[in-house]
Amino acid sequence: MEQKIKNMQHSPSVGLLPIDLERIRADFPILDQIIDGNQLVYLDNAATTQKPRVVINAIIEYYRKYNANIHRGLHYLAEKSTEMYEHTRIHVADFIGGVDPKEVIFTRGTTEAINLVAYTWGEENIKEGDEIVITEMEHHANLVPWIQLAKKKKAILKRIPITFCGHLDQSNINEIITSKTKLLALTHMSNVLGTINPVAELTALAKKHGAVVLADGAQAVPHLKVDVKSLGVDFYAFSSHKMLGPTGVGILYGKKELLEAMPPFNMGGEMIREVSFDHVTWAELPNKFEGGTPNIADVVAFDAALHYLEEIGMDNLRQHEMDLTKYAIEHLSAIPGLEIQGPREVEQRGGVISFTDNDLHPHDISTFLDSKGIAIRAGHHCAQPLMSILGKIATARASLYIYNNEADIDALVKALKGMRRYFGL
Amino acid sequence: MEQKIKNMQHSPSVGLLPIDLERIRADFPILDQIIDGNQLVYLDNAATTQKPRVVINAIIEYYRKYNANIHRGLHYLAEKSTEMYEHTRIHVADFIGGVDPKEVIFTRGTTEAINLVAYTWGEENIKEGDEIVITEMEHHANLVPWIQLAKKKKAILKRIPITFCGHLDQSNINEIITSKTKLLALTHMSNVLGTINPVAELTALAKKHGAVVLADGAQAVPHLKVDVKSLGVDFYAFSSHKMLGPTGVGILYGKKELLEAMPPFNMGGEMIREVSFDHVTWAELPNKFEGGTPNIADVVAFDAALHYLEEIGMDNLRQHEMDLTKYAIEHLSAIPGLEIQGPREVEQRGGVISFTDNDLHPHDISTFLDSKGIAIRAGHHCAQPLMSILGKIATARASLYIYNNEADIDALVKALKGMRRYFGL
Amino acid sequence: MSGSLDEMYRDIILDHYRSPRGHEPLPMADFSTGGHNPSCGDELKLAVKIEDDMVKDIYIDCKGCAISTASGSMLAEVLKGKSIAEAKKIAAIVRGMLKGEDVEIPEDLGDIDALEGVKKFPVRIKCALLAWVTFMEGMENYENGSGEATTTSVE
Amino acid sequence: MSGSLDEMYRDIILDHYRSPRGHEPLPMADFSTGGHNPSCGDELKLAVKIEDDMVKDIYIDCKGCAISTASGSMLAEVLKGKSIAEAKKIAAIVRGMLKGEDVEIPEDLGDIDALEGVKKFPVRIKCALLAWVTFMEGMENYENGSGEATTTSVE
Ligand SMILES: Cc1ncc(COP(=O)(O)O)c(C=O)c1O
Ligand SMILES: Cc1ncc(COP(=O)(O)O)c(C=O)c1O
């Protein structure tokens, strides 16, 4: 640990940043873990991120001082917890560019947020012959709901292909996005290639044809400053657990007019206005989409994660990740037999670095790295169709976040060099 | 606090129990709260319960030592967190009577669990003219999904009425549950009346007619020893947050044959087997119903809640609540102007005590009690149709759990006596 | 709780609650309407007699909590005898005040500023609002010539 | 990780991985079948030549990790020359062993007990299983007279 921090201080690329990486690392208790004699090197951030002490403490504090069910209570704890829960909503609305808090719906995660749209807006608006446009780099969460909806409604699923460099291939875009397009569903940042997609541009095109646009921001909001209004999208989904917050919390942003016109999703308490045995009317936004007791404690604690990110500054975070991604790509590229997926230019990508070895299966890579305390992910990353397009059965993926440093990359690179020797290659 | 514990020790009804109430209370940090100069008296347990230190600590420990995304990871943290997550599933399966862990699906709560069944089993199996039987005492969570499904499918919603004493009125049961019944959806314990319904008996009748049975166990599992197999139900739903566990976790138990035949619900990562752009196959149980990153930390911590309840013993817990409910009903009944809903016999009810004042609105009661540090709930308790049947616009509701003692009841009774004076009645 | 009990249940409020004004039936009303607060179950009936562009008389009956009952009673007391224009202005002011807008309560409105204590109890604000928004909506319908009784809801 | 690296990647495993047996094409196979592990992407082709109720020859090609490749290679080595009955018995034993059942590996199975190290890595067990369950299913189809090639999946 000591050693690593020293390395950091000597590193010009990161040392120039207005962030104090040593202090940041100290905020994450798990990073001190020794696993089988190795210091943990956590490079599986695209799967989920670690939590700073302030987030963990917010959960503790909530349960120790404020826990109650929200919205209907007329007692102190219920008032406090409602206020805290709604405070996070306001904070989220602000964090994604200053939308109306009524447009912020809490879900379990990105997956539920997208399914909510499919089950409500999709169910009512997609008709036979309509076209749904997705991209070839979608995560299953932004793919399977649309495949199934298209099948059910006899709609047509069209896709924007990718180039060899891992960008969206827009050469035939005007044949793909047309007046038949009812929905464009695309990821803001790929969880396999790291590619940052031109969401604003494609949204403008889709809007010209009157389509609705949903962007999957699971990998974008944690790493980029996102302003959903300037993107112009109708729906935007992301997950707390990928941005320092607790598991079990996701966000669906939706434009008010659309949300108001949609039928509700999970039905039960809090989302109704009046119920008789033969007629039900719905509550106003956002309650209409939050039936049942929500994940109150974790929504409350997510506020602390947003604060933490704001304190660092999303621009500083992005700069740090660009520097580190550049460093990583440079050093990984120098390893014989290793192939890196996705764009090379760090301006066009995030810190998700998928790679393969000519001879070794990603699972063996991952198991080997694990024996050195290095956590990466290996597999199809919930993007099976993309794997076949890349011609890979799987990839290994190292993914960065704000607390990673050059020492982490050095450890990865060193281990990968030793790996081929271990397997006798 | 001191004072209260002393009272407890002098109380014969509770003093005889094999539980150490003083120790139990000390396990719940929030109970020490002083609110506006008053010691917190928490009697809103039917809304949500407080959390013992072991549950809070389990969350902390998870985030400090094990946090990772589950199922696909090949590194130490991912293996550990998967193991812990799946361990809770095995524990839940055991807790509800020893079912196959594959039959245990994690959801956000009871509401989502019931909606899952409505969106999947209901969508595929309810046809025009079919009958869905519910009871007049259902929570909106076990009512609105069926009202809407019946409307959509042109099915018929029939209801089992309640008697004046708050029991299900079975006098015409053979006209209500018939060969046309496709689904019987009923609550195991009412969250307004406290009534414990004869689920096994009604399930047997419904099964004779080939119907599927779903029981809402949100208020039952926390307070009674429940064995879903001996109840004979097909589906059973409950929430972690009402039984000492974290918010954001619910359970759907479902019989394997049914779950296997059902289409999936939230679609995305982890719930698929193979995905191509035009075809998707589903993962095996239980993954098929857990698309996306689940609420990992809180599922892991729910295990600690189950352990805690097991250590107390569900029979001891039930005995304590019966004693305390008896004590409460006795003392509340003696207050002039107060009317108590639901059965009188504690063997037939749980510790949910709804009451009204002839002259005061439940909201004024609740606000007044709050000024004395006493947390109860007032309103329709997400059971609007039941309110109209009771002829009430709302009720006040005090609800008990394992950490409540006679001092809590004494404080409630004393405050209620002062209340009428305050309002000049 | 956020405010002290006596801040909300001021003596004036309790007085209106115990002996609500405007309880005399108004058989020849020019319009009658209803209000409803689904989350509380509160229900309110309102009838208004208009003469020479004046609110000649008001009947109000609230099946609700102390706050909504008192608020309705105050409405009956204050608006009776006012011109339609004045009555509408006052209702708008009270609604604004309860919603936390920056409005000033004219001195001559008597008891109404007692409702300000409710603002400290966010969950109860809709109770205080019910009568006022029901009146405003009823009046609007009346002026638009729609004679139908509607139900106004607050949430 | 739950076990040490060398426990899984024993020398025998690495040897089978680097030079897998059963790689010679088998044009006159009596049945051929495929295996698939969707969560890993691993894919396996298997062809078997039967003569006089004996597993005369085996072709196996695995596009997968070291474990699934080595496991398939071991299968080819061990089952070649065995009677159908024996081969089926051995495959069932290996499957049972990997699934944590209480089975004993006969001594004469040579390298196969090297697969036991995989049990300490729960996520990798299905890699080791793939070849064996694919063989079992293929054989069953062959014996039932269904000549069609199927795909066996492990999850
Ligand atoms: C009987 C009953 N059913 C269902 C629910 C809904 O549970 P949840 O809000 O945890 O989804 C509740 C609790 O509010 C309940 O009391
Ligand atoms: C691009 C992308 N979309 C969607 C998801 C799904 O998010 P969650 O599992 O939090 O629902 C993920 C993460 O796994 C992702 O990377």
Side-chain angles (χ1 to χ4, degrees):
Chain A
M1 186 75 188
E2 282 281 281
Q3 185 51 42
K4 286 182 185 170
I5 287 162
K6 281 223 195 75
N7 281 351
M8 283 307 306
Q9 286 166 341
H10 291 167
S11 130
S13 65
V14 182
L16 290 172
L17 278 178
I19 61 168
D20 181 346
L21 208 47
E22 189 173 347
R23 204 215 72 201
I24 289 174
R25 289 179 68 89
D27 289 336
F28 291 79
I30 205 171
L31 297 181
D32 280 341
Q33 287 262 346
I34 305 293
I35 294 168
D36 278 350
N38 295 292
Q39 165 86 42
L40 170 66
V41 174
Y42 187 75
L43 293 169
D44 193 15
N45 293 291
T48 200
T49 62
Q50 298 305 336
K51 319 306 171 200
R53 204 167 278 108
V54 285
V55 169
I56 303 173
N57 288 348
I59 301 173
I60 304 174
E61 195 189 24
Y62 175 79
Y63 283 129
R64 284 178 167 262
K65 294 199 190 153
Y66 305 111
N67 176 59
N69 212 328
I70 57 172
H71 289 315
R72 299 234 174 279
L74 293 162
H75 56 78
Y76 171 81
L77 296 177
E79 276 172 19
K80 275 308 264 185
S81 56
T82 303
E83 192 183 307
M84 292 165 92
Y85 181 85
E86 292 303 326
H87 179 79
T88 301
R89 195 190 309 277
I90 294 165
H91 200 164
V92 169
D94 186 55
F95 194 85
I96 57 173
V99 302
D100 186 336
K102 283 187 168 49
E103 301 180 313
V104 171
I105 313 292
F106 289 117
T107 66
R108 178 173 39 251
T110 304
T111 304
E112 197 194 15
I114 296 172
N115 276 274
L116 189 162
V117 177
Y119 274 106
T120 58
W121 180 87
E123 190 62 43
E124 287 217 332
N125 290 280
I126 298 295
K127 306 264 181 293
E128 185 168 345
D130 284 348
E131 294 184 357
I132 298 173
V133 174
I134 45 106
T135 83
E136 282 183 349
M137 61 171 89
E138 295 310 312
H139 185 282
H140 291 163
N142 200 24
L143 186 56
V144 182
W146 308 125
I147 293 175
Q148 293 304 104
L149 186 68
K151 192 164 287 176
K152 180 172 173 189
K153 299 288 187 178
K154 300 199 173 73
I156 294 144
L157 198 70
K158 281 168 93 176
R159 46 200 222 241
I160 307 174
I162 56 168
T163 66
F164 280 118
C165 323
H167 289 292
L168 290 181
D169 178 356
Q170 297 195 44
S171 44
N172 293 314
I173 195 73
N174 287 313
E175 281 148 48
I176 301 168
I177 299 178
T178 69
S179 58
K180 283 192 172 161
T181 308
K182 272 287 157 58
L183 173 72
L184 167 63
L186 84 171
T187 191
H188 195 168
M189 187 198 288
S190 162
N191 69 315
V192 175
L193 307 168
T195 319
I196 299 170
N197 287 324
V199 172
E201 198 181 307
L202 290 170
T203 299
L205 177 61
K207 289 275 146 203
K208 246 182 28 199
H209 294 295
V212 159
V213 179
L214 177 147
D216 172 354
Q219 295 296 340
V221 182
H223 305 282
L224 310 171
K225 195 176 239 166
V226 169
D227 178 338
V228 294
K229 284 198 291 196
S230 75
L231 291 176
V233 295
D234 298 290
F235 296 110
Y236 196 89
F238 56 104
S239 300
S240 147
H241 72 94
K242 291 187 199 281
M243 50 193 294
L244 310 183
T247 54
V249 177
I251 283 91
L252 173 68
Y253 156 78
K255 280 191 188 151
K256 213 187 308 183
E257 314 78 69
L258 284 162
L259 292 176
E260 274 167 355
M262 277 150 60
F265 185 40
N266 281 315
M267 292 175 264
E270 307 307 329
M271 53 70 70
I272 54 87
R273 220 160 70 84
E274 281 186 85
V275 178
S276 68
F277 287 112
D278 37 47
H279 193 61
V280 186
T281 54
W282 314 121
E284 313 228 308
L285 294 179
N287 295 10
K288 174 175 152 189
F289 291 105
E290 294 182 10
T293 304
N295 185 358
I296 307 169
D298 292 329
V299 166
V300 166
F302 183 43
D303 189 59
L306 295 175
H307 267 298
Y308 191 88
L309 290 171
E310 282 164 342
E311 241 178 65
I312 289 173
M314 290 307 287
D315 290 334
N316 295 329
L317 184 151
R318 171 75 177 134
Q319 188 59 50
H320 171 61
E321 288 188 18
M322 286 203 293
D323 294 343
L324 205 54
T325 303
K326 193 170 178 185
Y327 183 85
I329 289 182
E330 254 171 50
H331 286 76
L332 288 170
S333 308
I335 302 177
L338 217 78
E339 186 189 333
I340 295 177
Q341 303 294 330
R344 286 302 163 115
E345 314 74 12
V346 292
E347 292 74 20
Q348 300 170 12
R349 57 135 57 237
V352 169
I353 307 169
S354 274
F355 58 92
T356 50
D357 181 286
N358 288 345
D359 301 298
L360 281 168
H361 188 284
H363 284 182
D364 295 315
I365 299 177
S366 181
T367 300
F368 179 84
L369 292 176
D370 180 43
S371 75
K372 308 290 178 215
I374 304 169
I376 65 150
R377 191 141 296 227
H380 54 61
H381 314 293
C382 299
Q384 287 184 1
L386 176 58
M387 289 297 127
S388 18
I389 286 160
L390 296 174
K392 303 284 174 197
I393 57 176
T395 73
R397 180 184 75 182
S399 52
L400 315 172
Y401 210 29
I402 184 66
Y403 37 71
N404 288 119
N405 57 23
E406 295 191 358
D408 292 340
I409 305 302
D410 295 343
L412 172 68
V413 168
K414 182 171 166 226
L416 285 172
K417 285 178 177 162
M419 174 180 74
R420 290 181 66 89
R421 231 173 307 126
Y422 180 87
F423 285 104
L425 298 167
Chain B
M1 187 73 190
E2 282 281 281
Q3 184 53 41
K4 286 182 187 171
I5 287 162
K6 280 223 195 76
N7 280 350
M8 282 309 305
Q9 286 165 340
H10 291 165
S11 129
S13 65
V14 181
L16 289 173
L17 278 176
I19 61 168
D20 181 346
L21 207 48
E22 191 174 344
R23 204 215 71 200
I24 289 176
R25 289 179 69 89
D27 289 336
F28 290 80
I30 207 171
L31 297 181
D32 279 341
Q33 288 261 342
I34 304 293
I35 294 168
D36 279 350
N38 295 290
Q39 166 86 42
L40 171 65
V41 174
Y42 188 75
L43 293 169
D44 194 15
N45 293 291
T48 200
T49 62
Q50 298 305 336
K51 318 306 171 199
R53 204 168 278 109
V54 286
V55 168
I56 304 174
N57 288 348
I59 301 174
I60 305 174
E61 195 189 22
Y62 175 79
Y63 282 129
R64 284 178 166 260
K65 294 200 193 153
Y66 305 111
N67 176 59
N69 212 330
I70 57 172
H71 290 314
R72 300 233 174 279
L74 293 163
H75 56 78
Y76 171 80
L77 296 177
E79 277 171 19
K80 274 308 263 186
S81 55
T82 303
E83 192 183 307
M84 293 165 92
Y85 181 85
E86 292 302 326
H87 180 78
T88 301
R89 195 190 309 277
I90 293 165
H91 201 166
V92 169
D94 186 55
F95 194 85
I96 58 174
V99 302
D100 186 336
K102 282 187 168 53
E103 301 180 312
V104 171
I105 313 292
F106 288 116
T107 66
R108 180 174 35 254
T110 305
T111 304
E112 197 194 13
I114 296 172
N115 276 274
L116 189 162
V117 177
Y119 274 106
T120 58
W121 180 89
E123 190 61 45
E124 288 218 332
N125 291 280
I126 297 294
K127 305 267 181 294
E128 186 167 346
D130 285 348
E131 295 184 356
I132 298 173
V133 175
I134 45 106
T135 82
E136 283 183 347
M137 61 169 90
E138 295 310 312
H139 185 280
H140 291 163
N142 200 24
L143 185 55
V144 182
W146 309 124
I147 293 175
Q148 292 303 105
L149 185 68
K151 192 165 286 176
K152 179 172 174 190
K153 299 288 186 180
K154 300 199 173 71
I156 294 145
L157 198 70
K158 280 168 94 176
R159 45 202 221 240
I160 306 175
I162 56 168
T163 65
F164 280 119
C165 324
H167 289 291
L168 290 181
D169 178 356
Q170 296 195 45
S171 44
N172 292 314
I173 195 72
N174 287 315
E175 280 149 47
I176 300 167
I177 298 178
T178 69
S179 59
K180 283 191 173 163
T181 308
K182 272 286 158 59
L183 172 71
L184 166 64
L186 83 170
T187 190
H188 196 169
M189 187 197 289
S190 163
N191 69 315
V192 175
L193 307 168
T195 320
I196 299 170
N197 287 324
V199 172
E201 199 181 307
L202 290 170
T203 299
L205 177 61
K207 289 273 145 207
K208 247 183 25 199
H209 294 295
V212 159
V213 179
L214 177 147
D216 172 354
Q219 296 296 341
V221 181
H223 305 282
L224 309 172
K225 196 177 238 165
V226 169
D227 178 339
V228 294
K229 284 199 290 195
S230 75
L231 290 176
V233 295
D234 297 290
F235 296 110
Y236 197 89
F238 58 103
S239 301
S240 147
H241 72 94
K242 292 187 199 281
M243 49 193 295
L244 310 183
T247 54
V249 176
I251 283 91
L252 174 67
Y253 156 80
K255 279 191 189 153
K256 213 187 309 185
E257 313 79 69
L258 284 164
L259 291 177
E260 275 169 355
M262 276 149 61
F265 186 39
N266 281 315
M267 292 174 266
E270 306 307 331
M271 52 71 70
I272 53 87
R273 221 161 69 84
E274 282 186 84
V275 178
S276 68
F277 288 112
D278 37 48
H279 193 62
V280 185
T281 53
W282 312 122
E284 312 226 313
L285 294 180
N287 295 11
K288 175 174 152 190
F289 292 105
E290 294 183 9
T293 305
N295 186 358
I296 307 168
D298 292 328
V299 166
V300 167
F302 183 43
D303 188 60
L306 295 175
H307 267 298
Y308 191 88
L309 289 171
E310 282 165 342
E311 239 177 67
I312 289 173
M314 291 307 288
D315 290 334
N316 295 329
L317 183 149
R318 171 76 178 134
Q319 188 59 50
H320 170 62
E321 288 188 17
M322 285 204 293
D323 293 343
L324 204 56
T325 303
K326 193 170 179 186
Y327 182 85
I329 290 182
E330 253 171 50
H331 286 76
L332 288 170
S333 308
I335 302 176
L338 217 78
E339 187 189 332
I340 296 176
Q341 303 294 330
R344 287 301 163 117
E345 316 73 12
V346 292
E347 291 73 20
Q348 301 170 11
R349 56 134 59 236
V352 170
I353 307 169
S354 274
F355 58 92
T356 50
D357 181 286
N358 288 345
D359 302 298
L360 281 168
H361 189 283
H363 284 182
D364 295 316
I365 299 177
S366 181
T367 300
F368 180 83
L369 292 175
D370 180 43
S371 75
K372 309 291 178 214
I374 303 169
I376 65 149
R377 191 141 295 227
H380 54 61
H381 314 293
C382 299
Q384 286 184 0
L386 176 58
M387 289 297 127
S388 19
I389 285 160
L390 297 175
K392 303 285 174 197
I393 57 177
T395 73
R397 181 185 75 183
S399 52
L400 315 173
Y401 210 29
I402 183 66
Y403 37 70
N404 288 119
N405 57 22
E406 295 191 358
D408 291 341
I409 305 301
D410 295 343
L412 173 67
V413 168
K414 183 171 165 226
L416 286 172
K417 284 179 177 162
M419 175 180 72
R420 291 181 64 88
R421 231 174 305 127
Y422 180 87
F423 285 105
L425 298 169
Chain C
M1 59 201 233
S2 342
S4 98
L5 200 64
D6 299 343
E7 265 185 89
M8 179 153 76
Y9 296 118
R10 299 186 190 177
D11 288 342
I12 301 175
I13 302 251
L14 290 180
D15 178 57
H16 276 277
Y17 169 51
R18 281 180 221 123
S19 25
R21 332 301 195 241
H23 251 217
E24 303 75 34
L26 201 61
M28 301 278 288
D30 287 278
F31 72 86
S32 64
T33 182
H36 187 200
N37 179 339
S39 73
C40 305
D42 294 348
E43 270 176 40
L44 176 147
K45 283 190 202 116
L46 179 79
V48 177
K49 174 110 204 94
I50 308 275
E51 239 177 68
D52 301 333
D53 281 343
M54 296 269 288
V55 176
K56 175 85 177 157
D57 210 350
I58 294 184
Y59 163 77
I60 190 158
D61 182 23
C62 182
K63 245 172 84 180
C65 65
I67 302 303
S68 55
T69 305
S71 185
S73 164
M74 288 174 174
L75 177 142
E77 187 173 76
V78 166
L79 299 191
K80 189 171 164 177
K82 297 281 188 297
S83 74
I84 290 183
E86 259 180 309
K88 277 162 62 181
K89 204 177 121 203
I90 292 168
I93 287 173
V94 176
R95 186 185 60 175
M97 179 269 281
L98 287 168
K99 288 197 159 183
E101 288 160 21
D102 191 21
V103 292
E104 215 156 296
I105 308 276
E107 294 230 343
D108 59 343
L109 283 193
D111 300 350
I112 281 180
D113 62 350
L115 284 175
E116 260 196 288
V118 177
K119 282 200 298 195
K120 296 239 173 98
F121 297 78
V123 198
R124 306 300 298 276
I125 290 172
K126 57 186 179 313
C127 308
L129 270 174
L130 182 60
W132 301 91
V133 299
T134 302
F135 175 83
M136 287 171 82
E137 210 161 301
M139 184 57 88
E140 197 180 309
N141 282 340
Y142 167 74
E143 291 190 306
N144 292 341
S146 138
E148 273 176 65
T150 56
T151 302
T152 302
S153 279
V154 287
E155 261 178 296
Chain D
M1 61 200 231
S2 341
S4 99
L5 199 63
D6 298 342
E7 265 184 88
M8 180 153 75
Y9 296 117
R10 300 188 190 177
D11 288 342
I12 302 175
I13 301 251
L14 290 181
D15 178 57
H16 276 276
Y17 170 52
R18 280 179 223 127
S19 24
R21 330 303 193 241
H23 250 216
E24 303 74 32
L26 201 61
M28 301 278 288
D30 287 277
F31 72 87
S32 64
T33 181
H36 188 201
N37 179 339
S39 73
C40 307
D42 295 348
E43 270 175 41
L44 176 148
K45 283 190 201 116
L46 179 78
V48 177
K49 174 110 204 90
I50 308 274
E51 239 177 70
D52 301 332
D53 281 342
M54 296 269 286
V55 175
K56 174 86 177 157
D57 209 351
I58 294 184
Y59 163 79
I60 191 157
D61 183 23
C62 184
K63 244 174 84 179
C65 65
I67 302 304
S68 55
T69 305
S71 185
S73 165
M74 288 175 174
L75 177 142
E77 187 173 75
V78 166
L79 298 192
K80 188 170 165 179
K82 296 282 189 298
S83 74
I84 290 183
E86 260 180 308
K88 278 162 63 180
K89 204 175 122 204
I90 294 169
I93 287 173
V94 176
R95 187 185 61 175
M97 180 269 283
L98 287 168
K99 287 197 159 181
E101 288 160 22
D102 190 21
V103 292
E104 215 157 296
I105 308 277
E107 292 229 344
D108 59 342
L109 284 193
D111 300 350
I112 281 179
D113 61 351
L115 285 175
E116 259 196 289
V118 177
K119 282 201 298 194
K120 295 237 173 102
F121 297 77
V123 198
R124 305 300 297 276
I125 290 173
K126 57 186 180 312
C127 307
L129 269 174
L130 183 60
W132 302 91
V133 298
T134 303
F135 175 81
M136 287 171 82
E137 211 161 299
M139 185 57 89
E140 197 180 312
N141 283 339
Y142 167 71
E143 291 190 306
N144 292 340
S146 139
E148 272 175 66
T150 55
T151 301
T152 303
S153 279
V154 288
E155 261 178 295

